[in-house]
Amino acid sequence: MDPLSMERAMVSNMIERTGKSIEQWIEIVKDNDFSKHGEVVKFLKQEHCLTHGYANLIARRSRDSS
């Protein structure tokens, strides 16, 4: 599976796997004052028990939607 297809699959499975949509996760990230990608990933993994893949995707998407 190519990276774009994998990302689409993760986004479509996000509610089932994490309990929230990508838009909801982006709002959670934006409610905090993170300056670095790694800070977002660490927060999502530690505070919300997300896998690295989902945390990384959310961090990237939250930066892109700024």
Side-chain angles (χ1 to χ4, degrees), residues 34-60:
F34 298 113
S35 60
K36 296 183 179 181
H37 176 90
E39 293 173 340
V40 176
V41 172
K42 182 178 178 180
F43 166 77
L44 292 171
K45 289 171 69 174
Q46 289 182 347
E47 299 298 321
H48 296 281
C49 300
L50 294 182
T51 63
H52 182 81
Y54 278 105
N56 189 53
L57 172 62
I58 294 163
R60 215 168 19 82

Side-chain angles (χ1 to χ4, degrees), residues 1 3 7 9 13-16 22 26-27 30 33 40-41 46 48 51-52 54 58 60 62:
M1 184 181 288
E7 185 172 308
N13 293 324
M14 193 165 291
I15 291 177
E16 180 184 329
I22 186 72
I26 289 170
E27 285 304 313
K30 287 185 174 189
D33 190 28
V40 176
V41 172
Q46 289 182 347
H48 296 281
T51 63
H52 182 81
Y54 278 105
I58 294 163
R60 215 168 19 82
S62 66

